[in-house]
Amino acid sequence: MSDTSDPADGPELPQPLAPERLCVPVTAADFDFATTADLAPDIGWLGQERAVDAIRMAADIPHGDFNAFVLGTPGSGRHRIVRAILAQAAAMRERPSDWVYVNNFDAPDKPRAIELPPGQASRFCKAMEHLIDELANDIPAIFESEDYQTRRNAIEQDFADLHEAEMSQLFERARGRGVAILRTPMGFTVAGLHGGEVLTPDKYEALSEDEQARVDAAVDQTQDELAEVLKAAPAREKRHRARVETLNVEMATAGVDAAIAEVAEAFHDHAPVRAHLDRVRADLIENAQLFLIRDEQMQGGPFPGPTSKHYARPQFQRYAVNVMVAHDGAGQGEAAPDTQGAPVIEESLPTLGNLIGRIEYASEMGALVTNFTMIKPGALHRANGGFLVLDALHVLQEPFAWDALKRCLRTGEISIYSPGERLSLISTVSLDPDPIPLKTRVVLVGERLHYYLLAAYDPDFAHLFKLQADLNDHMPAGEDHRQGYARMLGSLAHDAGIRPLEPGAVAATLRESTRLAGDAERFTLDTDTLSDILREADHWADGNDHGAITAADIDRAIAERDRRASRLRDLSHEAITRQTVLIDTDGARIGQINALSVLQIGGTAFGQPSRLTARTRMGSGKLVDIERETELGGPIHSKGVLILQGYLASSFATDAPMSLWASLVFEQSYGGVDGDSASAAELLALISSLAEAPIDQSFAITGSVNQFGDIQAIGGVNEKIEGFFDICAARGLTGRQGVLIPAANVKHLALRARVIDAVRDRRFRILPMRSVSDAIAVLMGAEAGQRDADGAYPQDSINARVEARLRAFAEARRAYVKQAVEPPGGTP
């Protein structure tokens, strides 16, 4: 077969691409700086202006339902951009309020929430701790003072004197009647007297009846009077206790008022705190005896130690302050290390408890107990008044978290509950704390799939997240953008703490950027991958004692990345070079073609050729796709086969029935096949079989075809070209070998240097094709042919041969049917 690259020997052929068209033409000469350290840092988030404006709007607009969803691919710097923009917006805002929970003395299961000016929550908490510490010392001192003891003794003496006076008078009256009142272990008893002695039963019986009657009457009267005196004793005791309690309240009031006045003065302009202090004052006065408990644990007061804790003494927790949010860098709800501006909170584990807070429990005597000091804040509490950044997928994966987030945003308040309560799985006594008003901007970060699924299936989503910040995956690779991209690379290097880049390194990175974007006219905005490359290049620069990252360091980093991921690719190519998998790279063969595909495993993608064969014969117009028949072909691949079937039916022998039987198969393919990038190869294999025209095996082809025979763009063009090139290089480049690609894919080329160098040395060719005719001319070395004014293809053209073959099939089929209907020897 003649060299199909020479147009003079045959039909006009597509011309091989020049080396300059195989990769973006950017070099070190395009930049005028020594290193990227000389460039101003990139602070404009290159290529993301649309998304940045949406995030800034979310940060600035005051309406509560303008939350944002930042959507983009991983590696696009989504979190970095969001973090930077929100930090700028937060710095311009005032610090939000602090929040605390305090005891509800009327209903302890319903703790009260108190809003405080920023920085005052910890101050209030410490003031209450100091108050109780002071009272722990002052109240016992008050009740041990001489004044209290004197007044208490006076009350006790009055009580004792009154009791003794009444009893003395009763004793005197009894003696006057000749009756004695005797004390016994069981109480008092009354007995008659005779001759100054208590009457015994014998002596009583010796008395006359008149004497006995007189003694009985005196005893009865004395018993009645004794009963009246004893009956009045509880009332006297009650009055005594009342006087003691009045004294205790009076003394405790003086001590509590003196101690609480300092706290009240410090928060005199805050009504909720004053109201709480009034309730604390009443409870302290009523329960002053709590401070009189004497045990070893009380040494040092109820809040011992240099850093008092309000839960140190259980009996005093009722007076504690549970700090939920403190914007002074203290407390369990610490909002941010920086006490200026609004908080920006990123919650990496948005469980229900981490999001809305939780109520903890302690086990006591086999039962679960809790109180308001065991309420813990969530991310919404810490972000209140500022911004909360969440990963959308993480929120959706946590049970109840997404529903709780929506409820808080919808109601404008944070209500704390547990899944067990909601599902009625637990029956232990819990708390119902006051909800805290919510005013925060939530920014969800996720992939596009998450956004569109939520928009389609969650009716609340569009109302709560009105702003869509869609990050670009790439940006134009024009010359006017290269300087800005260089600044971005310099900023990535600076942020990573690595060496700056030389112009050659920037150029090499830009070339790799177009490959990552899969388009020579686009630069990728996958900053994570770019940062990885720069850091690895810095490692090689360090080993070579380079003061800055050079082009060689970038190339080394890229080569090492490819090598680390090349095991499966090498095994696949080895199977071909060892002829375990049959692929021809020279010669010619009818009905056989090298089709190109891309294998993607994890984050690794590589191209490899596959032998595709076609066989044809007379039939009923059936095109057998063996991949589909064996259920190895996907729906897109089946669609491509049906399209080429339509092309054949509409392009050849349209005045005769399709009388073709054909089969198509990927030889030695044992896995699934999908995609339509092999449809051009399948059509050419069929045409070769029908025209009996050999296909040059020095070429491989990729591209999809439509029903008009136009070649359409496909994906993975760089990997496909390199896959076939590596096989050819392993066997030895002859200069005849090459790859046919759709002309629409030329703008996507970003090939490795080994391929470009081979093309430059004319050892390998890459040819663009726009139609099936272009491919026929290259692969079969003959003109495809166009119909003339009479509707006929040129004689000896490939299309004419195909049509003649199909007409022959139709005639043979007609004759076969006629013979079957009218057999020799007569009418059936």
Side-chain angles (χ1 to χ4, degrees):
M1 185 175 182
S2 61
D3 187 349
T4 57
S5 66
D6 186 359
D9 295 336
E12 183 177 352
L13 302 178
Q15 296 302 305
L17 294 173
E20 294 75 18
R21 301 190 63 186
L22 305 183
C23 187
V24 59
V26 56
T27 65
D30 295 331
F31 305 101
D32 57 359
F33 52 84
T35 69
T36 54
D38 301 333
L39 301 176
D42 171 44
I43 57 174
W45 300 286
L46 187 68
Q48 304 292 4
E49 292 78 10
R50 176 177 53 216
V52 166
D53 289 343
I55 299 172
R56 282 177 173 160
M57 182 177 183
D60 296 336
I61 195 168
H63 305 291
D65 53 353
F66 276 78
N67 301 293
F69 193 109
V70 179
L71 54 154
T73 56
S76 58
R78 299 170 299 177
H79 289 87
R80 175 178 57 87
I81 294 174
V82 168
R83 192 180 300 117
I85 294 175
L86 295 185
Q88 291 178 353
M92 304 301 294
R93 290 191 177 189
E94 295 182 355
R95 280 192 298 166
S97 300
D98 289 354
W99 285 92
V100 301
Y101 273 115
V102 296
N103 185 32
N104 184 343
F105 294 98
D106 299 326
D109 63 323
K110 298 180 181 295
R112 301 179 187 272
I114 296 180
E115 182 180 9
L116 290 163
Q120 296 299 306
S122 297
R123 180 183 171 213
F124 181 40
C125 177
K126 292 177 180 178
M128 290 301 297
E129 290 180 354
H130 180 71
L131 167 67
I132 303 303
D133 280 340
E134 289 296 318
L135 290 177
N137 296 319
D138 293 348
I139 289 181
I142 289 174
F143 285 94
E144 292 173 0
S145 65
E146 184 177 350
D147 178 41
Y148 174 79
Q149 295 298 330
T150 300
R151 297 172 63 180
R152 176 66 181 269
N153 290 337
I155 294 173
E156 298 294 342
Q157 188 63 46
D158 289 345
F159 173 75
D161 290 347
L162 179 60
H163 178 71
E164 289 298 327
E166 290 183 351
M167 294 300 293
S168 296
Q169 293 174 6
L170 178 60
F171 287 161
E172 289 296 328
R173 290 196 299 272
R175 281 194 295 270
R177 301 187 190 102
V179 175
I181 300 176
L182 305 176
R183 294 179 184 271
T184 69
M186 303 298 295
F188 291 97
T189 185
V190 179
L193 294 174
H194 184 74
E197 295 181 357
V198 176
L199 287 173
T200 62
D202 294 338
K203 292 181 178 180
Y204 177 79
E205 294 295 335
L207 296 176
S208 64
E209 292 184 358
D210 292 339
E211 287 294 323
Q212 288 180 355
R214 181 188 64 77
V215 171
D216 290 343
V219 168
D220 291 342
Q221 182 178 4
T222 301
Q223 285 179 335
D224 292 342
E225 291 180 356
L226 177 61
E228 289 296 328
V229 171
L230 295 178
K231 185 177 180 180
R236 289 196 306 273
E237 182 67 27
K238 184 176 180 180
R239 290 192 298 271
H240 168 257
R241 290 197 306 270
R243 290 185 63 189
V244 173
E245 289 175 2
T246 301
L247 175 62
N248 290 344
V249 168
E250 180 182 346
M251 299 300 290
T253 299
V256 170
D257 286 347
I260 213 168
E262 182 178 352
V263 181
E265 177 61 26
F267 296 91
H268 68 279
D269 57 347
H270 202 280
V273 173
R274 293 201 311 272
H276 177 66
L277 290 176
D278 290 342
R279 290 187 285 269
V280 169
R281 173 184 178 276
D283 194 80
L284 282 171
I285 293 173
E286 182 178 354
N287 297 282
Q289 69 275 7
L290 292 175
F291 296 90
L292 303 180
I293 300 173
R294 297 291 183 180
D295 59 46
E296 294 181 358
Q297 293 183 346
M298 286 295 295
Q299 297 299 323
F303 300 96
T307 56
S308 299
K309 299 293 183 183
H310 56 253
Y311 48 79
R313 299 287 179 261
Q315 62 266 41
F316 298 107
Q317 287 181 343
R318 60 199 299 160
Y319 307 117
V321 174
N322 184 4
V323 178
M324 295 293 287
V325 181
H327 294 282
D328 56 355
Q332 63 166 309
E334 179 178 347
D338 186 1
T339 60
Q340 300 300 319
V344 179
I345 302 300
E346 294 185 62
E347 179 54 63
S348 59
L349 183 61
T351 61
L352 178 65
N354 289 349
L355 200 60
I356 65 171
R358 64 188 184 277
I359 300 172
E360 296 183 342
Y361 295 85
S363 178
E364 290 186 5
M365 305 294 291
L368 294 178
V369 297
T370 188
N371 60 56
F372 75 97
T373 65
M374 301 176 77
I375 302 174
K376 305 301 179 183
L380 285 171
H381 294 94
R382 300 193 302 273
N384 205 1
F387 305 96
L388 176 60
V389 181
L390 299 170
D391 187 285
L393 181 60
H394 293 168
V395 177
L396 294 172
Q397 287 176 331
E398 294 295 337
F400 305 103
W402 175 244
D403 182 64
L405 177 64
K406 290 193 301 178
R407 179 178 288 106
C408 291
L409 293 176
R410 189 169 51 244
T411 61
E413 58 186 24
I414 312 170
S415 297
I416 301 177
Y417 64 90
S418 69
E421 296 173 23
R422 182 174 177 182
L423 299 177
S424 300
L425 297 178
I426 59 174
S427 59
T428 186
V429 176
S430 187
L431 302 178
D432 183 20
D434 284 347
I436 292 178
L438 175 65
K439 187 178 181 182
T440 190
R441 178 73 69 243
V442 176
V443 177
L444 290 178
V445 180
E447 298 186 40
R448 294 183 178 89
L449 176 64
H450 306 151
Y451 177 84
Y452 295 125
L453 286 176
L454 287 171
Y457 295 108
D458 192 333
D460 296 327
F461 179 72
H463 298 288
L464 297 175
F465 293 87
K466 297 184 182 299
L467 295 177
Q468 171 187 355
D470 195 351
L471 292 171
N472 288 326
D473 299 330
H474 48 68
M475 61 173 290
E479 295 183 6
D480 52 337
H481 293 103
R482 295 177 184 178
Q483 196 73 13
Y485 206 84
R487 286 200 304 273
M488 184 188 76
L489 294 177
S491 296
L492 290 176
H494 178 271
D495 294 343
I498 61 177
R499 294 168 175 78
L501 284 74
E502 291 183 354
V506 172
T509 307
L510 262 61
R511 291 193 293 270
E512 181 65 15
S513 176
T514 61
R515 183 180 177 91
L516 292 173
D519 192 335
E521 298 177 358
R522 298 285 187 269
F523 289 141
T524 184
L525 292 175
D526 184 350
T527 54
D528 281 5
T529 300
L530 290 174
S531 179
D532 292 344
I533 293 173
L534 296 183
R535 287 182 290 170
E536 187 169 343
D538 180 70
H539 168 74
W540 299 117
D542 182 64
N544 295 325
D545 294 329
H546 293 164
I549 298 174
T550 66
D553 298 324
I554 296 292
D555 292 340
R556 176 72 182 277
I558 294 170
E560 291 294 328
R561 288 168 63 89
D562 287 347
R563 190 174 73 88
R564 288 195 297 271
S566 65
R567 189 183 70 86
L568 294 178
R569 180 193 66 192
D570 293 345
L571 290 174
S572 174
H573 290 178
E574 183 183 87
I576 296 174
T577 57
R578 296 179 64 191
Q579 298 185 356
T580 303
V581 175
L582 301 180
I583 297 291
D584 292 336
T585 55
D586 57 13
R589 195 162 184 180
I590 294 174
Q592 175 178 304
I593 193 169
N594 294 323
L596 296 175
S597 60
V598 172
L599 299 183
Q600 179 120 19
I601 303 175
T604 302
F606 59 91
Q608 72 169 14
S610 298
R611 174 177 287 182
L612 192 154
T613 60
R615 301 300 300 271
T616 57
R617 54 156 288 172
M618 180 191 72
S620 59
K622 183 175 182 181
L623 177 59
V624 177
D625 176 11
I626 295 178
E627 306 297 336
R628 180 178 60 186
E629 296 295 329
T630 57
E631 299 184 354
L632 290 177
I636 299 178
H637 176 261
S638 299
K639 176 184 176 183
V641 173
L642 293 174
I643 288 173
L644 67 88
Q645 185 175 359
Y647 173 81
L648 288 175
S650 61
S651 299
F652 304 104
T654 57
D655 56 349
M658 179 62 70
S659 302
L660 168 71
W661 180 94
S663 64
L664 288 168
V665 68
F666 283 89
E667 304 288 358
Q668 294 182 283
S669 172
Y670 308 107
V673 175
D674 202 4
D676 63 351
S677 65
S679 59
E682 291 170 325
L683 177 57
L684 289 165
L686 284 171
I687 290 174
S688 169
S689 179
L690 288 168
E692 296 183 336
I695 292 177
D696 189 348
Q697 301 298 301
S698 300
F699 287 93
I701 184 172
T702 182
S704 69
V705 66
N706 62 23
Q707 294 191 98
F708 298 98
D710 300 321
I711 302 298
Q712 303 167 139
I714 44 80
V717 64
N718 294 298
E719 290 80 3
K720 291 177 179 179
I721 293 173
E722 290 166 358
F724 188 66
F725 171 83
D726 290 338
I727 298 299
C728 294
R731 290 178 171 176
L733 295 175
T734 64
R736 292 176 51 84
Q737 298 145 334
V739 175
L740 281 87
I741 65 171
N745 280 120
V746 172
K747 59 179 174 290
H748 301 138
L749 293 178
L751 294 168
R752 295 295 186 210
R754 65 181 184 276
V755 182
I756 299 175
D757 291 341
V759 171
R760 183 178 292 109
D761 296 338
R762 298 186 178 182
R763 295 181 294 121
F764 194 76
R765 296 173 291 174
I766 299 172
L767 294 87
M769 55 179 176
R770 299 185 180 277
S771 67
V772 174
S773 297
D774 292 341
I776 289 174
V778 173
L779 295 176
M780 302 179 197
E783 180 184 2
Q786 299 292 327
R787 291 189 185 276
D788 58 20
D790 297 330
Y793 286 116
Q795 190 175 4
D796 293 331
S797 68
I798 296 295
N799 287 342
R801 293 160 65 179
V802 171
E803 187 165 61
R805 187 79 180 280
L806 290 174
R807 287 188 184 279
F809 285 162
E811 291 295 331
R813 183 184 177 196
R814 184 181 298 114
Y816 178 81
V817 172
K818 183 177 180 180
Q819 181 182 6
V821 174
E822 299 179 4
T827 303

